[in-house]
Amino acid sequence: MTENTTVTPQDIIINERIFTMLLIDIIKQRDDREIPEETQNVAVVGGKVAIPCDITPSIIGDTVELVLWYKDDFSKPIYSYDGRARTYNEAQHVAIDFLNRRAFFSTVDRPSVLAIYPVVPNDEGSYRCRVDFQLGRTRHFQTYVMVIVPPQSMRITDTRGKILQDRIGPLNEGDPYILTCEVFGGRPSPSVSWWKDNTLLDDSYETTARGTVVNKLVIPELKRYHLMATLTCQSSNNNMSIPLTTLITLDMNLRPTSVRIQDKGKPLSSGKVVELECRTDGSRPPADITWWRGVEPLRSNQNQTDGNWNHSILSFRPSKEDNGKYLFCKAENPEIRNSVMEDILLLDVYYPPEVMLRLGNKLRHSHIEEGNDVYLECNIQANPRVTEISWLFEGQEIQTNVTVGVIISNQSLVLQKVKLASRGHYYCSARNSEGYCKSNVIYLRVQCKYF
């Protein structure tokens, strides 16, 4: 063509027709039965699968006349799309009974797809679509659909084989516990894991001889934080469907965490009734509270409970003999062995003085003579310690007088070189915050000394 040549619209149309005819001849010379390499698609039972088939003409102006779908070794098509002498909207769709109204060939999608819903296990296999064009050569696409069968069911059992569900227990704090989650069905074999909230506890599992998959969750020791914990067994063999799950909640018996006798530093008074309070917390159900004096059980008269908190009131009349003994408050959850906690109170019992007067060692009444030294001892038992000790002779208080030989040293009275005038009645007395007490009376006999 020279520079002065003029190209008309008719020339362009003619050239396009010639090009198209040449292209058709080239395509027709090829083997229209050539099948491309098989692709793979994955579907889940109950879900949807879209098997691609490109029906876009490679020749401008060409149209699709017929699409046939084959599966595995079926000699007849399982689905057909007939567009001959029809528009896309008027095309005829025909499926065999196997698809049971579950399949539809969508020409709207790009590429077009044979959509199957819901997928069943028998849908697995090799699918081939054949596309016949009005002008172009026949086209083939082949796809293998692998169908995943999710796990069907699961059960949770304890060591005795009892099937567990929802809330279980109550279990005892401190005990070991084993939960077995067994999963049935699934292709390929599913994984089985244990979770607490969003925390993975155990993802080890094994396949049994029966074909089930098992995960045993071993809890070496149940802790307080396991109370009302929700444990989830989860099983899955794909990331397209919701995992199969079963939840259980742990109900538990708990040990007491504390026990305390209130006002432990307060002294008690002998013979006076006192109310002692003991409080315990942390036990579920609330702990039983018992009182003990040494190994002797005591009876409490009031017990109150609020949640897992409990307290007990003991009405107690201590005696002098209780001073220095131990009082125990014990809290125990009767559902849990060896769950006793105790608090100890060393009894500090106040009582009035008890006073006993006696002659000093090695002295005898029958051997006291004028000029002898005499020792008198005032033995006192008291709590708290006495604040006052008095010595009396014939009802009159005696004071230390070294000149006349009278010496008072704490709980002792020394009479030096006694005279006949020293004969008479002696006694001592003592006082503390609890009271006053006089001793027994000793009559001192002083014999004349003979030369």
Side-chain angles (χ1 to χ4, degrees), residues 419-436:
K419 303 176 179 60
L420 293 178
S422 301
R423 291 183 296 184
H425 299 86
Y426 291 82
Y427 65 91
C428 60
S429 66
R431 183 185 302 275
N432 66 4
S433 60
E434 296 296 302
Y436 169 85

Side-chain angles (χ1 to χ4, degrees), residues 123-370:
D123 288 333
E124 180 165 303
S126 181
Y127 291 79
R128 177 170 59 89
C129 76
R130 168 180 169 174
V131 186
D132 291 335
F133 297 94
Q134 183 179 12
L135 300 177
R137 72 179 182 90
T138 297
R139 186 183 299 165
H140 298 269
F141 292 94
Q142 188 158 318
T143 301
Y144 187 85
V145 175
M146 182 178 73
V147 176
I148 294 177
V149 181
Q152 301 302 301
S153 62
M154 65 170 51
R155 69 181 182 187
I156 298 174
T157 57
D158 60 15
T159 53
R160 296 174 297 177
K162 180 182 177 181
I163 298 177
L164 307 175
Q165 57 185 359
D166 301 326
R167 181 183 295 188
I168 64 172
L171 312 174
N172 287 338
E173 178 186 3
D175 285 354
Y177 200 66
I178 299 176
L179 291 167
T180 300
C181 182
E182 186 174 16
V183 177
F184 303 85
R187 189 187 70 202
S189 183
S191 63
V192 183
S193 56
W194 280 100
W195 298 75
K196 180 181 180 292
D197 300 326
N198 294 321
T199 302
L200 176 64
L201 300 178
D202 189 344
D203 60 355
S204 61
Y205 56 89
E206 60 182 3
T207 302
T208 68
R210 297 179 297 171
T212 61
V213 184
V214 171
N215 184 329
K216 289 188 176 182
L217 176 64
V218 178
I219 304 175
E221 183 179 359
L222 288 166
K223 303 290 188 179
R224 299 184 72 84
Y225 59 74
H226 287 117
L227 173 64
M228 293 304 168
T230 297
L231 304 182
T232 303
C233 179
Q234 178 176 296
S235 179
S236 178
N237 59 0
N238 68 87
N239 58 3
M240 294 178 287
S241 62
I242 298 175
L244 181 66
T245 59
T246 297
L247 285 72
I248 59 170
T249 301
L250 304 183
D251 191 6
M252 290 182 59
N253 296 320
L254 302 179
R255 302 170 181 270
T257 56
S258 66
V259 58
R260 181 170 179 80
I261 300 173
Q262 305 299 305
D263 300 326
K264 293 177 68 172
K266 181 180 178 181
L268 311 179
S269 292
S270 174
K272 294 182 180 179
V273 176
V274 64
E275 288 190 342
L276 299 176
E277 180 182 6
C278 181
R279 299 170 67 95
T280 180
D281 199 3
S283 179
R284 188 172 189 272
D288 290 342
I289 297 179
T290 54
W291 292 87
W292 300 77
R293 178 171 51 194
V295 296
E296 176 191 0
L298 302 175
R299 184 176 179 181
S300 60
N301 57 359
Q302 295 183 40
N303 288 280
Q304 294 184 5
T305 300
D306 183 8
N308 58 356
W309 167 87
N310 194 13
H311 83 143
S312 174
I313 302 294
L314 173 68
S315 291
F316 179 55
R317 188 190 301 272
S319 65
K320 177 179 72 71
E321 288 74 20
D322 292 324
N323 185 50
K325 291 185 177 179
Y326 289 100
L327 191 71
F328 297 87
C329 175
K330 299 184 180 182
E332 178 182 16
N333 186 333
E335 303 297 329
I336 304 178
R337 290 186 303 172
N338 302 321
S339 64
V340 176
M341 289 192 72
E342 64 181 30
D343 193 19
I344 304 174
L345 172 62
L346 176 61
L347 292 174
D348 185 13
V349 181
Y350 283 6
Y351 55 90
E354 293 184 352
V355 185
M356 174 68 70
L357 181 62
R358 66 182 182 182
L359 285 171
N361 292 335
K362 301 180 181 179
L363 287 179
R364 296 182 181 177
H365 284 128
S366 59
H367 292 90
I368 298 176
E369 296 179 346
E370 291 177 275

Side-chain angles (χ1 to χ4, degrees), residues 371-382:
N372 292 156
D373 292 338
V374 176
Y375 299 89
L376 295 175
E377 295 178 359
C378 188
N379 293 324
I380 302 171
Q381 288 187 350

Side-chain angles (χ1 to χ4, degrees), residues 82-97:
D82 190 350
R84 291 173 292 188
R86 297 180 178 88
T87 64
Y88 282 126
N89 294 332
E90 295 175 342
Q92 185 177 7
H93 296 256
V94 178
I96 64 173
D97 292 341

